[in-house]
Amino acid sequence: RPMPQTDQRQNHIEAPIEPLMRAVPMPIETERLILRPTQTGDGAALAEAVQETWDQLNEWMIWAKDRAGATEEMYESYARENAARFIQRENFAILAFERASGRLIGSTGLHQPDWTLGRCEIGYWVRTSAQGQGYAQEIAHALTVYAFNALQMNTVLIAHAAGNDRSQRIIERLGFAPCGVIPNGIIVPSGALLAEHIYCRTDLNGLPERPVSWPEP
């Protein structure tokens, strides 16, 4: 059912809930996409999307450095590892699929969840052939709404490396506010140390209205 983009949280930290007992309803649905956790069997689709987008990923994503020449089997191992981490509520690696075709559009997630503070960070990339169609913004918007209203987070972060102008534009369109710059905060596959620009939201005020839904927990 459509989820309202009003803030449904209480503005204080309640007694901690055991992470394994936290409800994480899936999938998340948007106008064009279905977002679900990475699972067994996703290795082939991941390998294809990464190979297609390799030049960009190898410019900005440090994990790409360790995956040069990775086989489909290695991506399947990665998918299963992330499926296990999702169950443990340690990290939420999520894949975005096009509703109309079922094609994998990109990879995203809610990373480094801090259940005490109620904080997590959104990451994302979109395969080359699907870029320029607003998918990255659609994904980041959906995860922002989901983090606050489904997971009851207090703060949602997004960061980009200095010079990654595409990512910066997406973040700013979603109304995230600059909340700090860490000099030499990000290392990219070339080995360069770049400034890390961090943006944050503490509520949904001013977030553009778009359809987002997920199952009742």
Side-chain angles (χ1 to χ4, degrees):
R1 63 183 178 84
M3 295 296 163
Q5 288 179 200
T6 55
D7 200 323
Q8 300 175 14
R9 300 164 301 126
Q10 298 183 10
N11 294 320
H12 65 276
I13 295 176
E14 299 179 350
I17 300 172
E18 177 66 28
L20 285 175
M21 300 305 296
R22 288 185 176 269
V24 186
M26 286 284 171
I28 305 167
E29 298 192 27
T30 70
E31 185 176 5
R32 297 182 294 173
L33 301 171
I34 295 176
L35 285 67
R36 64 150 175 84
T38 305
Q39 62 190 31
T40 297
D42 285 334
L46 269 171
E48 179 192 22
V50 169
Q51 182 177 12
E52 178 187 305
T53 318
W54 180 254
D55 288 345
Q56 288 175 308
L57 295 175
N58 196 42
E59 181 178 6
W60 299 111
M61 306 293 188
I62 187 59
W63 53 260
K65 182 177 181 180
D66 298 325
R67 294 191 196 167
T71 64
E72 184 177 308
E73 183 179 38
M74 292 171 68
Y75 279 101
E76 179 62 23
S77 176
Y78 162 78
R80 296 184 184 191
E81 177 185 350
N82 275 298
R85 295 187 71 194
F86 186 96
I87 293 171
Q88 294 291 327
R89 306 299 192 248
E90 295 174 351
N91 189 63
F92 300 122
I94 296 168
L95 298 180
F97 295 88
E98 192 174 50
R99 293 170 65 99
S101 67
R103 183 175 70 131
L104 177 63
I105 293 297
S107 179
T108 184
L110 294 165
H111 305 308
Q112 302 178 36
D114 184 321
W115 296 111
T116 301
L117 293 176
R119 182 177 66 198
C120 63
E121 180 175 341
I122 295 175
Y124 50 82
W125 59 267
V126 170
R127 68 189 302 159
T128 301
S129 59
Q131 291 177 13
Q133 301 174 53
Y135 282 121
Q137 187 169 332
E138 188 170 336
I139 289 167
H141 172 277
L143 288 188
T144 301
V145 176
Y146 183 83
F148 283 120
N149 283 348
L151 301 187
Q152 299 293 296
M153 291 293 177
N154 297 308
T155 307
V156 177
L157 307 176
I158 305 183
H160 72 83
N164 191 343
D165 297 333
R166 283 188 176 184
S167 187
Q168 180 180 351
R169 286 194 294 270
I170 291 166
I171 295 167
E172 291 176 346
R173 285 173 189 151
L174 291 174
F176 279 73
C179 60
V181 178
I182 303 177
N184 301 324
I186 290 181
I187 185 170
V188 291
S190 67
L193 285 168
L194 303 177
E196 181 180 20
H197 293 256
I198 303 172
Y199 295 73
C200 61
R201 264 188 170 276
T202 57
D203 55 42
L204 295 172
N205 292 339
L207 188 70
E209 288 283 342
R210 303 186 71 157
V212 184
S213 64
W214 53 85
E216 291 285 355

mmCIF file of all heavy atoms in Angstrom, residues 32 97-103:
data_model
loop_
_atom_site.group_PDB
_atom_site.id
_atom_site.type_symbol
_atom_site.label_atom_id
_atom_site.label_comp_id
_atom_site.label_asym_id
_atom_site.label_seq_id
_atom_site.Cartn_x
_atom_site.Cartn_y
_atom_site.Cartn_z
ATOM 1 N N ARG A 32 8.360 2.600 -11.009
ATOM 2 C CA ARG A 32 8.986 1.806 -12.075
ATOM 3 C C ARG A 32 9.803 0.628 -11.578
ATOM 4 O O ARG A 32 10.224 -0.210 -12.394
ATOM 5 C CB ARG A 32 9.901 2.717 -12.907
ATOM 6 C CG ARG A 32 9.181 3.843 -13.626
ATOM 7 C CD ARG A 32 10.158 4.648 -14.468
ATOM 8 N NE ARG A 32 11.131 5.365 -13.620
ATOM 9 C CZ ARG A 32 12.182 6.031 -14.095
ATOM 10 N NH1 ARG A 32 12.412 6.043 -15.402
ATOM 11 N NH2 ARG A 32 13.003 6.685 -13.284
ATOM 12 N N PHE A 97 15.123 -3.722 -9.545
ATOM 13 C CA PHE A 97 14.713 -4.354 -10.789
ATOM 14 C C PHE A 97 13.604 -3.532 -11.448
ATOM 15 O O PHE A 97 12.714 -3.019 -10.773
ATOM 16 C CB PHE A 97 14.200 -5.769 -10.529
ATOM 17 C CG PHE A 97 15.252 -6.718 -10.020
ATOM 18 C CD1 PHE A 97 15.513 -6.825 -8.662
ATOM 19 C CD2 PHE A 97 15.988 -7.492 -10.899
ATOM 20 C CE1 PHE A 97 16.478 -7.694 -8.187
ATOM 21 C CE2 PHE A 97 16.964 -8.366 -10.437
ATOM 22 C CZ PHE A 97 17.209 -8.470 -9.069
ATOM 23 N N GLU A 98 13.655 -3.450 -12.757
ATOM 24 C CA GLU A 98 12.620 -2.770 -13.515
ATOM 25 C C GLU A 98 11.338 -3.594 -13.463
ATOM 26 O O GLU A 98 11.336 -4.787 -13.783
ATOM 27 C CB GLU A 98 13.088 -2.587 -14.951
ATOM 28 C CG GLU A 98 12.252 -1.650 -15.777
ATOM 29 C CD GLU A 98 12.884 -1.424 -17.137
ATOM 30 O OE1 GLU A 98 13.238 -2.419 -17.804
ATOM 31 O OE2 GLU A 98 13.028 -0.255 -17.521
ATOM 32 N N ARG A 99 10.245 -2.952 -13.057
ATOM 33 C CA ARG A 99 8.979 -3.676 -12.926
ATOM 34 C C ARG A 99 8.527 -4.267 -14.255
ATOM 35 O O ARG A 99 8.058 -5.402 -14.321
ATOM 36 C CB ARG A 99 7.888 -2.744 -12.396
ATOM 37 C CG ARG A 99 8.084 -2.274 -10.984
ATOM 38 C CD ARG A 99 7.106 -1.174 -10.626
ATOM 39 N NE ARG A 99 5.729 -1.651 -10.628
ATOM 40 C CZ ARG A 99 5.054 -2.000 -9.533
ATOM 41 N NH1 ARG A 99 5.641 -1.915 -8.340
ATOM 42 N NH2 ARG A 99 3.819 -2.400 -9.603
ATOM 43 N N ALA A 100 8.657 -3.509 -15.339
ATOM 44 C CA ALA A 100 8.109 -3.928 -16.624
ATOM 45 C C ALA A 100 8.850 -5.108 -17.228
ATOM 46 O O ALA A 100 8.239 -5.996 -17.829
ATOM 47 C CB ALA A 100 8.120 -2.751 -17.597
ATOM 48 N N SER A 101 10.169 -5.145 -17.059
ATOM 49 C CA SER A 101 10.990 -6.159 -17.733
ATOM 50 C C SER A 101 11.637 -7.168 -16.801
ATOM 51 O O SER A 101 12.066 -8.230 -17.243
ATOM 52 C CB SER A 101 12.089 -5.469 -18.550
ATOM 53 O OG SER A 101 13.013 -4.817 -17.675
ATOM 54 N N GLY A 102 11.748 -6.827 -15.513
ATOM 55 C CA GLY A 102 12.463 -7.686 -14.580
ATOM 56 C C GLY A 102 13.968 -7.538 -14.648
ATOM 57 O O GLY A 102 14.701 -8.238 -13.948
ATOM 58 N N ARG A 103 14.462 -6.601 -15.462
ATOM 59 C CA ARG A 103 15.903 -6.411 -15.619
ATOM 60 C C ARG A 103 16.502 -5.730 -14.404
ATOM 61 O O ARG A 103 15.902 -4.820 -13.820
ATOM 62 C CB ARG A 103 16.170 -5.557 -16.863
ATOM 63 C CG ARG A 103 17.647 -5.343 -17.167
ATOM 64 C CD ARG A 103 17.847 -4.605 -18.475
ATOM 65 N NE ARG A 103 17.421 -3.225 -18.374
ATOM 66 C CZ ARG A 103 18.160 -2.180 -18.772
ATOM 67 N NH1 ARG A 103 19.351 -2.370 -19.291
ATOM 68 N NH2 ARG A 103 17.690 -0.954 -18.662
#
